[in-house]
Amino acid sequence: MMRFLLAAIVLCLATFNSQASANECKKIIASAHPNYPPYHWREGNEIVGASVDLNRLVFQEIGVEFAAVYSGPWKRVLATAESNMIDFVMSLKRTSEREAFLRFTDYPAFPNPFTAFTLVENSFDLERWSDLKALKGSKNAGDRYGQPLDSYVLEILKLPDNDSLEDNVNRLMLDRLDYIIHGRYVGQAHFGIIEGGEKIVPLEKDIIGGFIHSGFSLGSSCAVHLEYLNRRYLELFGDGTAERLLEVNIERWVAFNHRQKAGEENTRRQN
């Protein structure tokens, strides 16, 4: 009897502590990479994009205010999370190193597949990685896809690891490349703002799938909402909401850059 009584007391205390933690979380301060459209990017002192739209939607459902702030370059964003200066980091790759200071969602926030981009008139069918062997390809400096594709790209396709996106685009436009490996959604955002970018299209099939998660800082009282966030991520991923937000924010990113360029042009003319 005493054992059951003690178990009931422990359960009540756990429930009380959980409710208390939830009550402490009135506002979530979030951040992300400042230049990773359409997932997220910087506009002034704020972070905007699909990641913000998705998480704000979820946390509004439970009455928690959600603010996405610019915290500096990507390394600084991670440092502020490690120091518990922010509550939440949006849409990033889950790694063992980051798990040391972030409590990640079990389910992904968004898909993040990689594919080959090519000129629309040079588009080709891709069924397997070996279809790329006879073609001239490139990748962007520092991009990693996970094993075994990393090894295949470097050892079989022998793609260099020091080419910038700008150099790759120039060579693609001059028919010196057949394809560029890039993130499907990030590539559409990047190519959507360059001159002639409308001629660069992704292949129908991805080279490799991928996903990105989100994580609470270990010291954040708002981590009490992790279970709810997990459930909603699964639902919003499954019903297509996450992918629709990516498509909407590709258009938003392109419009944002066109406004910036127009403003810069007006300033130049006035001067």
Side-chain angles (χ1 to χ4, degrees):
M1 182 70 178
M2 182 62 69
R3 185 168 57 189
F4 290 119
L5 180 60
L6 287 173
I9 292 172
V10 169
L11 179 61
C12 288
L13 286 174
T15 302
F16 175 80
N17 288 335
S18 177
Q19 290 173 343
S21 296
N23 290 335
E24 289 174 9
C25 178
K26 302 296 185 184
K27 181 177 182 179
I28 293 175
I29 304 299
S31 196
H33 194 297
N35 186 27
Y36 200 62
Y39 297 95
H40 36 252
W41 66 92
R42 176 190 181 185
E43 288 189 13
N45 291 321
E46 295 183 338
I47 297 294
V48 301
S51 299
V52 180
D53 294 346
L54 181 74
N55 287 290
R56 184 166 286 146
L57 181 157
V58 172
F59 290 115
Q60 280 180 343
E61 294 172 349
I62 53 176
V64 177
E65 186 179 351
F66 187 81
V69 300
Y70 170 65
S71 300
W74 181 223
K75 287 186 178 180
R76 191 183 305 166
V77 174
L78 294 176
T80 57
E82 189 169 9
S83 302
N84 295 307
M85 296 171 64
I86 57 174
D87 296 293
F88 191 69
V89 183
M90 300 177 288
S91 303
L92 72 165
K93 191 173 182 180
R94 184 173 182 170
T95 66
S96 57
E97 180 182 4
R98 293 167 181 172
E99 285 177 336
F101 59 90
L102 290 173
R103 290 185 63 186
F104 277 95
T105 55
D106 294 325
Y107 299 107
F110 294 102
N112 188 29
F114 283 82
T115 190
F117 284 79
T118 186
L119 294 178
V120 63
E121 64 268 23
N122 296 336
S123 187
F124 57 91
D125 292 329
L126 175 69
E127 294 298 329
R128 56 191 64 84
W129 294 352
S130 58
D131 292 337
L132 301 172
K133 289 174 64 175
L135 302 173
K136 295 174 292 184
S138 190
K139 64 185 289 292
N140 300 314
D143 276 2
R144 295 292 180 270
Y145 321 105
Q147 295 294 343
L149 183 55
D150 282 341
S151 295
Y152 193 86
V153 163
L154 296 176
E155 297 171 12
I156 306 300
L157 300 180
K158 300 187 183 300
L159 304 188
D161 195 31
N162 57 354
D163 292 325
S164 69
L165 178 61
E166 182 179 5
D167 288 339
N168 284 334
V169 169
N170 288 338
R171 287 191 289 156
L172 187 69
M173 294 290 196
L174 294 171
D175 282 330
R176 294 176 182 171
L177 286 179
D178 295 307
Y179 68 88
I180 304 169
I181 297 178
H182 207 336
R184 175 173 291 277
Y185 298 103
V186 178
Q188 290 179 70
H190 284 160
F191 299 134
I193 64 171
I194 64 173
E195 185 176 354
E198 71 279 0
K199 299 177 182 178
I200 304 175
V201 297
L203 298 185
E204 183 176 348
K205 189 170 182 178
D206 296 323
I207 295 176
I208 191 170
F211 306 96
I212 45 180
H213 296 250
S214 298
F216 284 99
S217 300
L218 294 184
S220 173
S221 62
C222 295
V224 69
H225 296 302
L226 182 60
E227 184 177 344
Y228 182 80
L229 184 64
N230 266 322
R231 177 164 64 83
R232 292 299 285 134
Y233 270 11
L234 180 62
E235 293 168 348
L236 295 169
F237 194 105
D239 69 11
T241 298
E243 189 168 359
R244 284 194 297 272
L245 287 175
L246 290 172
E247 298 291 350
V248 166
N249 278 280
I250 289 173
E251 296 177 7
R252 181 180 177 184
W253 162 256
V254 171
F256 167 68
N257 277 270
H258 287 167
R259 289 196 304 271
Q260 277 198 319
K261 289 180 180 178
E264 291 169 359
E265 180 64 20
N266 287 337
T267 301
R268 187 187 64 79
R269 289 175 179 175
Q270 291 171 4
N271 292 336

